[in-house]
């Protein structure tokens, strides 16, 4: 087996990036930035490792992002209910369920786009961040 140790980096606005890559990694990508990363991963079929943050900052910007993201969640939540849920995810008393709802939508969006293995886990230690969900997906 041949193992490549080459890696390339690119510093640019995510929406302007048109290159190919094998894995998309984001740590505490605020609001819609997580969804922009997921969309770029879908575009090239890259694996995903993402720790979302600031759920209440989810907005339909760029316009290519629509909410809910997945067909499954579109059946049960309207767009306005989705945004209300995202705002609840930033309130400590209600955040765990609301974060999970948003992240399930994200993983189902990946399933809708051909990802076979998707999961939600937690960053360790749990005290590292109040928002410590970790989304992992592979085609």
């Amino acid at each position: 087996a041949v193992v490549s140790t080459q890696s390339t980096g690119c510093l640019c606005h995510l929406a302007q990036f048109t290159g190919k890559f094998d894995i998309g990694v984001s740590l505490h990508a605020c609001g819609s930035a997580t969804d922009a990363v997921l969309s770029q991963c879908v575009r090239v079929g890259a694996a995903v490792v993402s720790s979302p943050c600031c759920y209440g900052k989810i907005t339909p910007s760029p316009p290519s992002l629509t909410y809910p993201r997945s067909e499954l969640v579109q059946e049960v939540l309207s767009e306005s209910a989705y945004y209300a849920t995202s705002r609840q995810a930033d309130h400590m008393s209600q955040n765990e369920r609301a974060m999970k709802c948003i992240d399930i939508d994200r993983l189902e969006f990946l399933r809708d786009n051909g990802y076979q293995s998707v999961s939600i886990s937690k960053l360790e230690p749990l005290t590292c961040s109040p928002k410590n969900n970790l989304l992992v997906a592979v085609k």
Side-chain angles (χ1 to χ4, degrees), residues 8-49:
T8 304
C10 176
L11 181 61
C12 66
H13 191 281
L14 186 60
Q16 297 170 338
F17 183 74
T18 59
K20 295 188 183 275
F21 54 95
D22 298 318
I23 184 168
V25 178
S26 63
L27 178 61
H28 292 283
C30 287
S32 299
T34 294
D35 299 304
V37 169
L38 299 183
S39 290
Q40 283 283 19
C41 290
V42 165
R43 180 182 63 80
V44 298
V48 174
V49 178

Side-chain angles (χ1 to χ4, degrees), residues 60 66-68 77-84:
T66 58
Y67 296 97
L77 279 182
S78 67
E79 184 179 24
S80 61
Y82 190 89
Y83 291 130

Side-chain angles (χ1 to χ4, degrees), residues 10-12 36 69 102 110 117 132:
C10 176
L11 181 61
C12 66
R69 306 283 288 149
I102 299 300
L110 293 170
S117 176
N132 57 11

